[in-house]
Amino acid sequence: MLNFVHDIPTRYYFGEGQISNLAGELSRFGKNVLLTYGGGSVKRSGLYDTIMDILNGHDFKVTELNGIDPNPRITSVREGVRLCKENGVDVILAVGGGSTIDCSKAIACGFYWEGDDLWDMIRNPGRNMKALPLVDILTLSATGSEFDPFGVISNMETNEKLGVPLCYPSVSICDPTYTFSVPAYHTAAGSADIMSHIIEGYFSRTDDSDLADGMCETILKSVMKNCPVALKDPSNYSARANLMHNSSIACSHITEYGKQGTMWPCHGMEHELSAFYDITHGVGLAILTPRWMRFILAKDPTVTGRFARFARNVIGLEGNDDAALAKEGIDALEAYFASTGIPMKLSELGIGEEHFSEMADHANKINHLELAYVPLTNEDIVEIFRASL
Ligand code: NZQ
Ligand code: ZN
């Protein structure tokens, strides 16, 4: 088991009604708020009105940035920084999924960025960047942005989508009832993203970090149990609550403590697909993950034991033949993703081979997949993309 540091500064409110803490928490940072949100789901669900009642009732001054896209753009970050500077904003309140929270993290850091162009900040973020305080209200269980320091920002002009450490939220309010309105497609995609955050770290060369591995297996089983319930019964509190709790822990790296890093290869490959084709992150991951698994299992049989453990402890398969179990576990995972209604081929998303080589080159340059759990060359990545068509 390797050394690790636990240092997560986010104050995390979980459960129905926790919005009662909003005014008090915001007040710690000031009275001048930038309220950020996406394309309108917060208005349709009524959450926007609830929040405005609270803000108006406590004399906050509110500036709004709306229309933040899924796969949030650097253009929204630039606009948000401009609004913060012009209005003397004290604190950002982000209401939405990972896209809104990520964009808000970049705005929070961008406020203090001294360079000419905010895209340079995303390309080369500093360590421990100074940031405006960020409070968020989560509405979609998926990315874990509510409990991690990362932000993933896209530049559609350069076909780049980069995930970088920016800042932790100061406060996250996670009320599962706010996810009742998430449509089936995003429920399934978000759940696949949660699972991927676990899988990326579970398949590591360190075999003796028992607590981390046990948490990974529990979270994977919990998502596979609760996502189908939420799909059938979107207002099932228990299912939505478990997905939300899993979401926050899965990307926090707590489930990798004590383990050797893996470079998160599926995320590196998926971000290229999103950068070129603007696809839903979790869908890209569900498509790539079983293909990546089959590829590395064939390339490096030393990983067979870990795949057999996954098949036994997560999928619940039995048997003594590790090689057979390893393959059956991957097939079962793929069948599970398909059962949640996710498209399982890149061609279904209108993606062809034309950019594979460029994407593989970029994925490797940015993510150093030569250092992955099983090292991947550019040619390997192209092969995984092809197998996903
Ligand atoms: O924009 P609105 O109208 O709000 O609709 C959103 C959007 O269309 C909708 N939605 C969100 N909450 C809803 C809802 N619809 C109905 N009811 C609700 N309660 O869902 C759609 C997707 O939202 P988005 O925020 O884009 O989804 P997600 O949370 O999956 O975030 C995806 C982004 O996060 C990045 C991804 O790459 C992608 O850019 N990631 C961020 C990470 C991080 N910060 O640590 C790690 C992840 O691996 C990931 O890369
Ligand atoms: Zn992800």
Side-chain angles (χ1 to χ4, degrees), residues 102-148:
D102 285 5
C103 182
S104 304
K105 288 177 180 175
I107 295 168
C109 294
F111 181 80
Y112 291 107
W113 175 257
E114 288 178 354
D116 288 339
D117 182 6
L118 285 162
W119 187 242
D120 292 338
M121 177 186 82
I122 301 299
R123 277 208 170 122
N124 292 302
R127 285 204 162 267
N128 300 320
M129 278 194 287
K130 193 170 175 197
L132 280 173
L134 168 64
V135 175
D136 68 74
I137 300 177
L138 183 66
T139 67
L140 200 167
S141 304
T143 64
S145 188
E146 67 277 13
F147 203 52
D148 76 25

Side-chain angles (χ1 to χ4, degrees), residues 37-42 44-45 68-72 95-100 102 105 138-145 148-154 161 178-183 186 190 193 197 251 264 267 270-271 274 280-282 285:
Y37 54 97
S41 72
V42 292
R44 288 190 295 278
S45 69
I68 295 171
D69 295 299
N71 300 327
V95 186
S99 293
T100 293
D102 285 5
K105 288 177 180 175
L138 183 66
T139 67
L140 200 167
S141 304
T143 64
S145 188
D148 76 25
F150 302 106
V152 186
I153 305 296
S154 293
K161 175 176 177 173
Y178 299 153
T179 64
F180 287 176
S181 57
V182 176
H186 284 295
D193 190 23
H197 296 157
C251 208
W264 284 43
H267 272 67
E270 195 295 312
H271 284 173
S274 293
T280 300
H281 174 63
L285 291 168

Side-chain angles (χ1 to χ4, degrees), residues 166-201:
L166 292 168
C167 60
Y168 280 94
S170 302
V171 179
S172 288
I173 295 178
C174 298
D175 180 336
T177 65
Y178 299 153
T179 64
F180 287 176
S181 57
V182 176
Y185 181 78
H186 284 295
T187 300
S191 297
D193 190 23
I194 299 170
M195 290 179 69
S196 178
H197 296 157
I198 295 295
I199 287 168
E200 297 275 36

Side-chain angles (χ1 to χ4, degrees), residues 54-343:
I54 293 171
L55 297 181
N56 292 331
H58 290 82
D59 296 324
F60 286 97
K61 174 176 179 257
V62 182
T63 304
E64 291 193 27
L65 173 69
N66 60 25
I68 295 171
D69 295 299
N71 300 327
R73 319 294 202 236
I74 188 66
T75 45
S76 297
V77 177
R78 291 186 184 119
E79 175 65 1
V81 170
R82 186 184 68 75
L83 289 172
C84 286
K85 287 186 174 166
E86 278 180 16
N87 294 283
V89 161
D90 301 313
V91 52
I92 302 175
L93 173 58
V95 186
S99 293
T100 293
I101 301 175
D102 285 5
C103 182
S104 304
K105 288 177 180 175
I107 295 168
C109 294
F111 181 80
Y112 291 107
W113 175 257
E114 288 178 354
D116 288 339
D117 182 6
L118 285 162
W119 187 242
D120 292 338
M121 177 186 82
I122 301 299
R123 277 208 170 122
N124 292 302
R127 285 204 162 267
N128 300 320
M129 278 194 287
K130 193 170 175 197
L132 280 173
L134 168 64
V135 175
D136 68 74
I137 300 177
L138 183 66
T139 67
L140 200 167
S141 304
T143 64
S145 188
E146 67 277 13
F147 203 52
D148 76 25
F150 302 106
V152 186
I153 305 296
S154 293
N155 185 333
M156 304 319 270
E157 285 165 24
T158 57
N159 288 127
E160 286 174 286
K161 175 176 177 173
L162 303 177
V164 289
L166 292 168
C167 60
Y168 280 94
S170 302
V171 179
S172 288
I173 295 178
C174 298
D175 180 336
T177 65
Y178 299 153
T179 64
F180 287 176
S181 57
V182 176
Y185 181 78
H186 284 295
T187 300
S191 297
D193 190 23
I194 299 170
M195 290 179 69
S196 178
H197 296 157
I198 295 295
I199 287 168
E200 297 275 36
Y202 182 74
F203 288 91
S204 154
R205 292 288 169 185
T206 308
D207 273 327
D208 69 343
S209 190
D210 292 349
L211 182 59
D213 278 339
M215 279 195 280
C216 286
E217 289 163 358
T218 298
I219 289 176
L220 290 173
K221 284 190 285 189
S222 172
V223 176
M224 292 173 81
K225 175 178 136 194
N226 288 295
C227 174
V229 176
L231 289 174
K232 266 205 203 96
D233 178 9
S235 303
N236 186 305
Y237 183 84
S238 175
R240 293 292 194 182
N242 277 291
L243 290 175
M244 189 170 257
H245 192 191
N246 288 329
S247 151
S248 302
I249 301 300
C251 208
S252 69
H253 287 279
I254 289 173
T255 57
E256 288 180 68
Y257 285 177
K259 298 183 67 169
Q260 188 179 322
T262 66
M263 310 316 282
W264 284 43
C266 290
H267 272 67
M269 292 187 283
E270 195 295 312
H271 284 173
E272 294 302 314
L273 297 176
S274 293
F276 276 81
Y277 296 97
D278 199 16
I279 66 168
T280 300
H281 174 63
V283 171
L285 291 168
I287 294 172
L288 289 172
T289 300
R291 278 67 181 228
W292 163 76
M293 287 177 155
R294 287 193 190 98
F295 183 87
I296 63 167
L297 184 59
K299 182 172 178 181
D300 181 357
T302 66
V303 302
T304 305
R306 181 125 289 247
F307 275 94
R309 175 179 170 150
F310 169 79
R312 286 192 184 96
N313 293 1
V314 177
I315 306 292
L317 300 177
E318 290 177 6
N320 297 321
D321 181 348
D322 275 13
L325 272 185
K327 289 183 180 154
E328 288 163 25
I330 300 170
D331 291 346
L333 178 69
E334 189 173 39
Y336 162 76
F337 283 140
S339 76
T340 65
I342 283 179

